[in-house]
Amino acid sequence: IRGVERSRGLGDVYKRQVNWYNVRNFLTFLRGIKLAKIFIIDDDVAIQYLYSEGLKIKGHEILDVASDGVSALEKLKNMKEQPEIIILDHKMPLKNGVETLIEIRKNKLCPNAKILFITADGTIKETVKKFKVEKFIQKPFSILSLLSIIDSI
């Protein structure tokens, strides 16, 4: 904001003249701000892409993706920046989501990360809740609902 004039009288009166160039620069700056650092663990490459692109558009930063529990745990151990949110699918090769979740919590990898556990199997909900899962998401769901869940945590 530029051109602020101040006059004295019965009270302080401020006149503001908006500099639209600065507003445009500020909005461009805001678009560059990353909201959350996210790690995606899912064996389906198309789902990884859908989550990544949808979350990037919203302003989140995707730190990395993994296709199975074993590679996810290895990547978590070697990450320079810790994710704030981990999106974890259940049905994966080598090590499923529950086994991966247990390893993450047992080894205290990313202790402050909020984990969103995604599955089509509703029977494991109570098992998963024991391991400090922020949100249990039952398939099918839309990318918009995932974005609103992330915005709410």
Side-chain angles (χ1 to χ4, degrees):
I1 297 176
R2 168 182 70 159
V4 176
E5 296 175 13
R6 189 172 183 179
S7 65
R8 302 245 179 223
L10 297 173
D12 288 336
V13 178
Y14 292 92
K15 293 180 182 176
R16 291 190 181 110
Q17 192 178 24
V18 176
N19 181 336
W20 290 108
Y21 177 77
N22 286 342
V23 171
R24 189 172 50 247
N25 285 344
F26 181 68
L27 293 174
T28 303
F29 167 76
L30 285 179
R31 280 189 213 108
I33 293 176
K34 305 299 180 197
L35 298 177
K37 295 174 181 165
I38 300 174
F39 182 49
I40 299 169
I41 308 168
D42 197 304
D43 62 323
D44 188 335
V45 177
I47 296 294
Q48 288 177 358
Y49 180 79
L50 176 68
Y51 294 167
S52 294
E53 292 306 307
L55 293 165
K56 284 180 197 172
I57 288 169
K58 189 73 174 179
H60 299 290
E61 180 181 355
I62 306 304
L63 293 179
D64 207 346
V65 296
S67 297
D68 60 73
V70 173
S71 65
L73 292 169
E74 192 61 37
K75 287 181 178 189
L76 282 171
K77 288 175 187 172
N78 296 318
M79 277 188 176
K80 292 179 184 177
E81 286 186 273
Q82 294 295 302
E84 297 165 326
I85 297 173
I86 298 172
I87 298 174
L88 177 60
D89 186 41
H90 175 51
K91 299 267 181 173
M92 296 184 296
L94 302 180
K95 193 176 283 246
N96 70 31
V98 174
E99 295 166 340
T100 304
L101 174 64
I102 291 169
E103 288 289 317
I104 289 171
R105 294 303 188 209
K106 184 176 82 174
N107 295 323
K108 296 183 179 162
L109 301 171
C110 310
N112 298 323
K114 296 176 177 166
I115 298 178
L116 306 181
F117 196 89
I118 298 173
T119 185
D121 183 4
T123 62
I124 61 169
K125 186 173 186 174
E126 294 307 314
T127 304
V128 168
K129 290 282 186 179
K130 293 176 186 174
F131 295 99
K132 291 181 15 187
V133 169
E134 188 70 26
K135 192 75 173 167
F136 183 89
I137 304 170
Q138 182 105 22
K139 289 180 182 178
F141 62 92
S142 72
I143 187 70
L144 294 176
S145 63
L146 179 63
L147 291 172
S148 69
I149 288 168
I150 290 174
D151 286 344
S152 71
I153 58 173

